Amino acid sequence: MTVGRLKAAAAALACTVMLGTSGAAAARPAAESASVSIDLEHPGPTIEPAVYGQFSEHLGNGIYPGIWVGPDSPIPNTNGYRNDVVAALKHIHVPVLRWPGGCFADQYDWRDGIGPRAKRPVRVNASWGGVEETNAFGTHEFMDFAELIGADAYISGNMGSMEPRAMAQWVEYMTSPSHSSLAEERRANGRDKPWHLKYLGFGNETWGCGGEMTAEVSAMTHRRFQTFVSAPSQNGPMVRVASGASGDDYAFTDTMMRLAADKMDAISLHYYTLRGGWDKKGGALGFDDAGWAKQIERARRMDEIITGHSTVMDKYDPKKRVGLFVDEWGNWFDSDPKEDLGVLYQQNSLLDAVTAATTLNIFHRHSDRVRLGAIAQMINVLQAMILTDGAKMVLTPTYHVFDMYQPFMGATPYPVTIQSPTFKAGDTTLPMVDATAARGKDGQLWLALVNADPERAAQVKLGAEGSVKGSVLTADEIDAHNSFDHPDTVAPRPFAQRAGKNGLILNLPSKSVVVVEVDR
Ligand code: AHR
């Protein structure tokens, strides 16, 4: 039976996954089998494109010179934005960009970042290394940049150290079509038309760097700000994002929802993947199979954490009006020792690709609640899409996963049941194979598969005729990464397979991510 017929019959597509040996893996452990079934009868809620969003903070080299080099820089740029970075971001269609923090957001006065750049005040970035912040990249630079790359703007407003009036005036400055003094000031600073502000965050990590508030104080502060901050109707609906919990702090979400659910459209969740806790994060490179597996295990916890917060939210919001925005997530390793303290620069390896794909698969499964994600962070910071060094730029394995997963933006997911063999490394045992499936906006059925086993290949047998084509991301070493000298060590390669007499079999290399379109 072809996949096309399966679609027509809206039947379940059953896939069998069997492990096999490849030439290179001949001496490796014996094959086992598993099965995956895709339930085409029960499409889920759309995977919001915003789930593929990104986060960029005034931290380390994220903004300067990751995005902004200034119009006079010898680095090729357009109006101060690096051309290489703009082209790379346009290619992956970044749906939404969150700025200016992070912790930086709650120390940021928007007035510092408007007007002639030469006259802007220089501040100390107290959140990140006490470096001088020139404010060269401010509201105009950010909003224009978001427009340039085609992303919706997500402003993270200061609720920790400023009053609601400041936030209200910032929103008016950006969005008002009127002739108010603030709108005229925006015009005088070079922008006639109001920008579109799609998302506004009220504070960041209010339980910590955003003001050390209890959940009760955070909820009531959020409510207070709602009284004073709004966008004009011409802006269209502005999604109000409450600052939410970290990790598995379900009590925080409970209190926020109980006291303020009616005053928010979404609540945030931050979850960073740390191999051994904050004091023993481990390195971005040089880990063994046990470290590899532990990192993936921690990334897989995202599923349990989202389920926990979603369950709490259901108590107050059973119709799921309020979205859960995972607006900071990713691997946090020990900083590269060559870098100064506070810049949070880390390399990005095949392990980051596998955890990114695993996390995106989890978001697909929670499309009923998770309507925005923002990986931390876009350039040169933590689990970055892009690394730069002077005029050089390199795309990371994480970037390639976001590129490969583009068909899932706006797609309709199907439930997938996976029965997979496990692998063990150190004290960690995990399933080898993870998979999600969705019908893209292009009408095609797409599969995303991860083989997390660092040693063994997997043969995935689809119980269907036809063929698949797409791409595979893998490398020889578990910590393979792209450097400025070797930028394509980890890069997608074409992947195509056609049904034989045993049906359609996908050969997944060890430690790989595969995204394919099923051709019917
Ligand atoms: O992404 C780095 C920091 O992590 C952010 O500033 C903060 O929100 C979080 O703790």
Side-chain angles (χ1 to χ4, degrees), residues 68-93:
W68 181 259
V69 289
D72 301 328
S73 171
I75 297 174
N77 70 87
T78 304
N79 300 328
Y81 307 109
R82 306 179 62 118
N83 292 345
D84 50 1
V85 164
V86 168
L89 294 174
K90 277 185 170 174
H91 177 73
I92 56 169
H93 299 102

Side-chain angles (χ1 to χ4, degrees), residues 479-491:
D479 66 348
H481 55 280
N482 296 332
S483 64
F484 298 106
D485 294 333
H486 301 283
D488 292 323
T489 305
V490 189

Side-chain angles (χ1 to χ4, degrees), residues 210-249:
E212 297 279 346
M213 303 178 204
T214 62
E216 284 78 8
V217 171
S218 182
M220 297 320 289
T221 309
H222 177 86
R223 288 195 80 86
R224 177 167 161 250
F225 270 65
Q226 303 316 305
T227 318
F228 304 106
V229 182
S230 59
S233 58
Q234 292 90 336
N235 182 70
M238 183 182 69
V239 179
R240 300 162 304 163
V241 189
S243 177
S246 172
D248 59 5
D249 189 351

Side-chain angles (χ1 to χ4, degrees), residues 377-495:
Q377 297 193 5
M378 191 161 74
I379 304 169
N380 291 332
V381 176
L382 298 175
Q383 188 172 349
M385 300 284 123
I386 292 172
L387 299 175
T388 66
D389 180 14
K392 292 183 275 189
M393 178 195 85
V394 71
L395 305 176
T396 68
T398 300
Y399 174 96
H400 291 307
V401 168
F402 273 65
D403 188 11
M404 290 163 68
Y405 270 66
Q406 286 199 59
F408 289 91
M409 288 199 253
T412 303
Y414 296 113
V416 173
T417 307
I418 308 157
Q419 286 177 346
S420 169
T422 57
F423 71 96
K424 187 166 192 299
D427 60 3
T428 307
T429 301
L430 292 174
M432 285 178 73
V433 175
D434 184 40
T436 55
R439 189 166 308 285
K441 288 197 293 190
D442 56 3
Q444 296 292 334
L445 182 62
W446 287 89
L447 298 177
L449 301 122
V450 177
N451 178 8
D453 192 315
E455 305 293 338
R456 298 176 302 173
Q459 287 190 320
V460 181
K461 184 178 175 193
L462 301 183
E465 295 169 12
S467 62
V468 296
K469 67 169 185 297
S471 46
V472 56
L473 192 71
T474 189
D476 290 342
E477 305 297 331
I478 53 177
D479 66 348
H481 55 280
N482 296 332
S483 64
F484 298 106
D485 294 333
H486 301 283
D488 292 323
T489 305
V490 189
R493 317 271 179 233
F495 184 99

Side-chain angles (χ1 to χ4, degrees), residues 55 57 59 102-103 128 204-205 270 272 328 332 376-377 382:
F55 168 42
E57 179 171 15
L59 193 179
C103 293
W128 301 111
N204 169 76
E205 299 192 347
H270 292 180
Y272 284 98
E328 287 187 30
W332 193 321
Q377 297 193 5
L382 298 175

Side-chain angles (χ1 to χ4, degrees), residues 108-434:
Y108 184 61
D109 181 346
W110 69 274
R111 282 213 154 269
D112 291 347
I114 58 169
R117 277 191 282 276
K119 291 196 174 156
R120 295 184 193 172
V122 176
R123 305 284 184 207
V124 168
N125 185 337
S127 295
W128 301 111
V131 298
E132 287 174 6
E133 167 58 60
T134 64
N135 283 299
F137 192 88
T139 299
H140 288 251
E141 289 77 13
F142 170 72
M143 295 301 278
D144 287 351
F145 178 66
E147 279 188 352
L148 182 64
I149 63 169
D152 284 323
Y154 178 176
I155 291 277
S156 185
N158 183 338
M159 194 172 83
S161 67
M162 294 189 82
E163 290 298 308
R165 187 174 168 79
M167 199 191 285
Q169 292 191 344
W170 192 7
V171 172
E172 181 181 331
Y173 181 89
M174 289 184 281
T175 63
S176 179
S178 76
H179 294 283
S180 74
S181 300
L182 283 163
E184 292 299 342
E185 191 176 0
R186 180 193 70 231
R187 291 189 187 96
N189 285 332
R191 173 74 183 201
D192 182 20
K193 224 173 68 171
W195 290 285
H196 175 56
L197 181 58
K198 175 112 183 233
Y199 303 97
L200 180 64
F202 291 80
N204 169 76
E205 299 192 347
T206 53
W207 41 264
C209 65
E212 297 279 346
M213 303 178 204
T214 62
E216 284 78 8
V217 171
S218 182
M220 297 320 289
T221 309
H222 177 86
R223 288 195 80 86
R224 177 167 161 250
F225 270 65
Q226 303 316 305
T227 318
F228 304 106
V229 182
S230 59
S233 58
Q234 292 90 336
N235 182 70
M238 183 182 69
V239 179
R240 300 162 304 163
V241 189
S243 177
S246 172
D248 59 5
D249 189 351
Y250 306 125
F252 194 91
T253 299
D254 196 306
T255 302
M256 288 294 295
M257 291 296 290
R258 179 167 52 82
L259 297 178
D262 59 318
K263 297 286 183 190
M264 64 176 81
D265 303 307
I267 185 165
S268 71
L269 166 67
H270 292 180
Y271 175 62
Y272 284 98
T273 306
L274 307 146
R275 228 171 16 247
W278 287 103
D279 298 334
K280 257 178 82 181
K281 297 190 279 293
L285 304 178
F287 44 82
D288 57 11
D289 281 5
W292 161 278
K294 186 59 76 186
Q295 194 76 24
I296 297 170
E297 181 189 55
R298 293 286 155 87
R300 287 174 62 97
R301 270 206 80 209
M302 179 70 90
D303 188 54
E304 165 203 325
I305 287 169
I306 290 172
T307 303
H309 289 286
S310 222
T311 306
V312 166
M313 292 171 77
D314 285 348
K315 267 176 30 186
Y316 303 98
D317 177 36
K319 292 196 173 147
K320 299 184 191 289
R321 184 190 64 80
V322 179
L324 184 62
F325 284 9
V326 190
D327 60 17
E328 287 187 30
W329 67 271
N331 291 326
W332 193 321
F333 296 115
D334 291 331
S335 288
D336 189 315
K338 292 191 299 294
E339 303 291 333
D340 296 335
L341 281 177
V343 292
L344 303 187
Y345 178 88
Q346 60 191 40
Q347 252 300 348
N348 194 288
S349 78
L350 185 59
L351 174 57
D352 292 273
V354 165
T355 59
T358 301
T359 304
L360 294 171
N361 284 351
I362 292 167
F363 291 166
H364 294 173
R365 292 189 191 101
H366 288 279
S367 61
D368 61 332
R369 239 344 151 179
V370 176
R371 301 192 194 124
L372 183 145
I375 189 168
Q377 297 193 5
M378 191 161 74
I379 304 169
N380 291 332
V381 176
L382 298 175
Q383 188 172 349
M385 300 284 123
I386 292 172
L387 299 175
T388 66
D389 180 14
K392 292 183 275 189
M393 178 195 85
V394 71
L395 305 176
T396 68
T398 300
Y399 174 96
H400 291 307
V401 168
F402 273 65
D403 188 11
M404 290 163 68
Y405 270 66
Q406 286 199 59
F408 289 91
M409 288 199 253
T412 303
Y414 296 113
V416 173
T417 307
I418 308 157
Q419 286 177 346
S420 169
T422 57
F423 71 96
K424 187 166 192 299
D427 60 3
T428 307
T429 301
L430 292 174
M432 285 178 73
V433 175
D434 184 40

